[in-house]
């Protein structure tokens, strides 16, 4: 069954603005990951945050995790047109190998 | 030097046919996966193999049969194709890194195979 739920479903911003996407999940997790999918392409891993971590940074990306609220957010700062893509959160439960994906947020960055 | 490759990229076929999609990874990973992405972009895992052993088998019709001849390859064979099988199928692989709280890993995805059943 679906674990993650992203919101908003779609987000349109101007270049240079920040974009924030949220992900909520239902059960306890081992870690949470964010992926990007450009149109017609495969998914690309962006960042992994473990259940005992609260915040992680990678370049212009900042991810937070609140396990008490079962939610995570992905912030992209100073967005670029090339950031236009769908963004998915995915959770891992326990010690299994399975990623359970949310429905994704379609981000459009207008030049 | 493609990391995860899939063939074919596009596959158009008629209902009732049998088809295969091939996947290869040159990353030296032990674990490989098949995902199905529907028209609403929802991604769902179908199968996972770790070093040629099936470790995840979600509720998938038994018309779908994965085959892993070696740990670098995971092929997907589909019998008696149905209209509802139309989707994009992604192969992925991952290393397995044991951390203090269990398995931590990221997955590397192939470019996808768009299957259209008419």
């Amino acid at each position: 069954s679906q674990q993650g739920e992203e919101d908003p479903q779609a987000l349109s911003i101007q270049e240079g603005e920040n974009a924030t996407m949220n992900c909520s999940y239902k059960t306890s997790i081992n870690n949470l990951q964010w992926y990007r999918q450009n149109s017609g392409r495969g998914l690309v891993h962006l960042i992994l945050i473990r259940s005992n971590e609260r915040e992680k940074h990678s370049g212009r990306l900042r991810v937070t995790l609140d396990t008490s609220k079962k939610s995570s957010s992905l912030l992209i700062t100073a967005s670029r047109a090339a950031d236009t893509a769908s963004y998915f959160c995915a959770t891992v439960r326990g010690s299994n190998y399975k990623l359970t994906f949310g429905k994704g947020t379609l981000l459009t960055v207008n030049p | 030097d493609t990391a995860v490759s899939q063939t074919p990229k596009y596959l158009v076929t008629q209902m009732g046919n049998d088809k295969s999609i091939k996947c290869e990874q040159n990353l030296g990973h032990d674990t490989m996966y098949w995902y199905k992405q529907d028209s609403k972009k929802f991604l769902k895992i179908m199968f996972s193999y770790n070093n040629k052993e099936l470790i995840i088998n979600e509720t998938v019709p038994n018309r779908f049969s994965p085959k892993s001849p070696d740990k670098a390859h995971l092929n997907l064979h589909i019998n008696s194709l149905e209209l509802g099988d139309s989707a994009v199928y992604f192969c992925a692989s991952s290393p397995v890194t044991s951390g203090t709280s269990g398995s931590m890993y990221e997955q590397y995805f192939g470019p996808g195979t768009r299957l259209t059943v008419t």
Side-chain angles (χ1 to χ4, degrees):
Chain A
S1 63
Q2 184 185 334
Q3 167 78 313
E5 188 89 29
E6 288 93 335
D7 86 273
Q9 288 189 348
L11 179 61
S12 182
I13 59 174
Q14 296 299 122
E15 227 172 5
E17 293 180 341
N18 295 342
T20 300
M21 288 158 269
N22 302 297
C23 168
S24 60
Y25 56 91
K26 296 173 185 172
T27 62
S28 62
I29 60 171
N30 179 300
N31 66 75
L32 184 145
Q33 304 178 30
W34 285 90
Y35 287 81
R36 183 187 74 229
Q37 184 180 30
N38 290 86
S39 180
R41 309 288 289 273
L43 280 79
V44 174
H45 175 89
L46 295 176
I47 201 162
L48 180 155
I49 186 163
R50 301 178 184 191
S51 59
N52 61 355
E53 296 176 314
R54 291 296 165 259
E55 189 169 312
K56 230 172 164 178
H57 296 256
S58 176
R60 293 183 296 112
L61 306 180
R62 173 178 166 249
V63 167
T64 62
L65 180 64
D66 186 334
T67 52
S68 66
K69 294 181 179 176
K70 294 187 170 57
S71 67
S72 173
S73 68
L74 170 68
L75 168 68
I76 304 174
T77 59
S79 63
R80 305 166 182 166
D83 295 328
T84 294
S86 291
Y87 291 83
F88 294 88
C89 71
T91 55
V92 176
R93 295 166 58 186
S95 58
N96 69 38
Y97 299 80
K98 189 167 88 166
L99 274 180
T100 303
F101 283 87
K103 291 181 181 175
T105 293
L106 176 60
L107 173 66
T108 303
V109 181
N110 302 299
Chain B
D1 56 347
T2 306
V4 182
S5 59
Q6 295 178 228
T7 53
K9 189 167 173 61
Y10 299 97
L11 186 53
V12 181
T13 188
Q14 291 185 328
M15 280 174 57
N17 285 348
D18 304 339
K19 290 292 177 187
S20 291
I21 307 172
K22 295 187 176 182
C23 177
E24 176 180 2
Q25 54 96 2
N26 62 7
L27 297 166
H29 291 167
D30 284 333
T31 310
M32 296 185 73
Y33 313 80
W34 277 109
Y35 288 88
K36 178 181 180 180
Q37 186 172 45
D38 63 23
S39 58
K40 296 184 179 177
K41 289 204 159 185
F42 180 53
L43 260 166
K44 188 168 165 54
I45 190 163
M46 301 172 70
F47 302 103
S48 176
Y49 272 72
N50 180 252
N51 206 8
K52 300 197 297 174
E53 181 186 342
L54 182 66
I55 55 171
I56 294 173
N57 185 351
E58 291 294 283
T59 309
V60 176
N62 58 16
R63 299 182 294 104
F64 290 78
S65 53
K67 292 262 188 318
S68 182
D70 56 62
K71 74 174 195 177
H73 295 85
L74 180 62
N75 304 323
L76 183 65
H77 189 75
I78 316 170
N79 289 328
S80 304
L81 278 154
E82 299 177 357
L83 293 176
D85 298 332
S86 294
V88 182
Y89 291 84
F90 287 99
C91 176
S93 72
S94 69
V96 178
T97 305
S98 294
T100 55
S101 5
S103 302
M104 305 287 179
Y105 61 97
E106 60 190 69
Q107 294 187 14
Y108 295 76
F109 282 76
T113 295
R114 182 173 293 277
L115 171 66
T116 303
V117 183
T118 61

